[in-house]
Amino acid sequence: MKTSIWEFSVGLCVFLFASCTQATFRDDPTVLVTLLVRNKAHTLPYFLKLFEELDYPKSRLTLWIKSDQNQDQSLQIMNKWIASVENSYHHIYHELTSSPSVADDKIPTNWTQERFKHIISLREEALDKGRELWADFVWFVDCDVFLTNNQTLKTMVNTNYPVVAPMLDTLSLYSNYWCGMGLDYYYRRTDEYKPIRERENKGCHRVIVVHSCFLVDLRQVESKRLTFRPENINGYNGPHDDVITFAISGYWTDVPVYICNQIKFGYLLAPLDESQTIQDDYAQLTNIMLEASVDFPPMTAHQQLTEYVTPPAKSTHGFDEIFLINLERRPERRARMEWSMNQLGLKHKLINAVDGK
Ligand SMILES: *[C@@H]1O[C@H](CO)[C@@H](O)[C@H](O)[C@H]1NC(C)=O
Ligand SMILES: *[C@@H]1O[C@H](CO)[C@@H](O)[C@H](O)[C@H]1NC(C)=O
């Protein structure tokens, strides 16, 4: 009896030791990162900087980049960035096409059927590529997402859900998930939405739709049932919209989808409505940057890409003078305010405050 307990203990120790060492030496999972770029010249210098700063080994990331029909400098930016990081990542697949823009894109806020069809094939192609490469994950991330928290990818990879997204903050209630869907398959407001969005309920929550930034765990067999293609979904006759078709392919086949909000991960630009222009997007970007600076270091452009960022012209906006009053012993507050003034194009005069204590 004594011996067998001894043998059992030794066995257990060896077993524990083996599993510990195995865990210690196991590599991080491999991720195929899908970047689809169109007319994102204003967000890319910030997006790419934050992307590069993620705390995740680049040797475990393969990038899959596609860009076409740009009317701005997105292509130049992507070419320059890819050249500067080419050897850092496991591999970079890229197809940057300088095709002439089509007429329907004159209004970037109005998505045509053609455009949805195009994005559905690109996303499906990325999913297939991930399966073909035996990648552990495929990560779909839009270039107007700002992952100010460098732990985001690591945290998501470790959740162990088939589909998972970090909840992203915006200037409104808008975010990258839906808790409800109507019979027409479009967004439906539900009571669960707001407590998640406002982080009254913290953790990972099962939802119906995630978009803009989400990971698919290809190691989980359920993931085989996921698709963006409407014709691959049995009995589906709803809209041809990649966000909706992907969600339905999971929802109808019991593939759970989660949104996590336990900490702040980053920010997202809300889509423009049809009356808005690209100028409104610039303003939104500025406001998001100011908002992010409350919890994270100020967002700055990628060092290689500063030429693509034009700081606003400075003025006093009709006032004779704008004063910034700051105690000299609070240099970090001064730096943040000066950074904010620059983002807003406010020309200020600095006055050293007198500590009256
Ligand atoms: C992640 O961000 C934090 C806070 O900004 C910083 O202190 C830390 O050094 C960063 N970690 C890595 C690995 O970049
Ligand atoms: C958006 O595009 C579609 C298809 O081209 C068109 O039918 C619709 O009227 C457009 N909507 C607006 C508000 O321009």
Side-chain angles (χ1 to χ4, degrees), residues 52-56 148-151 154 295-297:
E52 233 179 282
E53 286 174 353
L54 287 173
D55 184 12
Y56 203 87
T148 43
N149 184 334
N150 57 23
Q151 299 303 305
K154 205 169 248 183
D295 292 295
F296 297 98

Side-chain angles (χ1 to χ4, degrees), residues 131 162 217 219-226 253-256:
R131 288 167 174 152
D217 188 345
R219 299 167 306 182
Q220 306 204 25
V221 286
E222 300 102 299
S223 75
K224 290 201 175 77
R225 306 199 285 261
L226 296 167
T253 63
D254 287 323
V255 185

Side-chain angles (χ1 to χ4, degrees), residues 24-67:
T24 310
F25 294 111
R26 187 179 289 167
D27 264 333
D28 288 282
T30 57
V31 183
L32 177 73
V33 187
T34 303
L35 301 177
L36 303 180
V37 183
R38 190 184 280 185
N39 294 327
K40 286 287 177 273
H42 56 303
T43 61
L44 283 170
Y46 303 99
F47 169 83
L48 292 171
K49 175 161 192 283
L50 292 167
F51 177 76
E52 233 179 282
E53 286 174 353
L54 287 173
D55 184 12
Y56 203 87
K58 293 187 171 53
S59 60
R60 307 294 288 169
L61 301 179
T62 294
L63 310 189
W64 195 88
I65 304 170
K66 297 245 172 168
S67 184

Side-chain angles (χ1 to χ4, degrees), residues 113 116-117 120 178 181-187 228-231 233 236-248 252:
Q113 278 309 309
F116 276 118
K117 209 171 140 185
I120 284 174
W178 307 356
M181 188 185 263
L183 289 172
D184 60 355
Y185 300 99
Y186 284 104
Y187 176 77
F228 291 93
R229 285 196 192 283
E231 58 273 22
I233 307 168
Y236 180 75
N237 60 0
H240 290 200
D241 173 321
D242 56 297
V243 169
I244 297 172
T245 48
F246 182 78
I248 287 292
W252 283 4

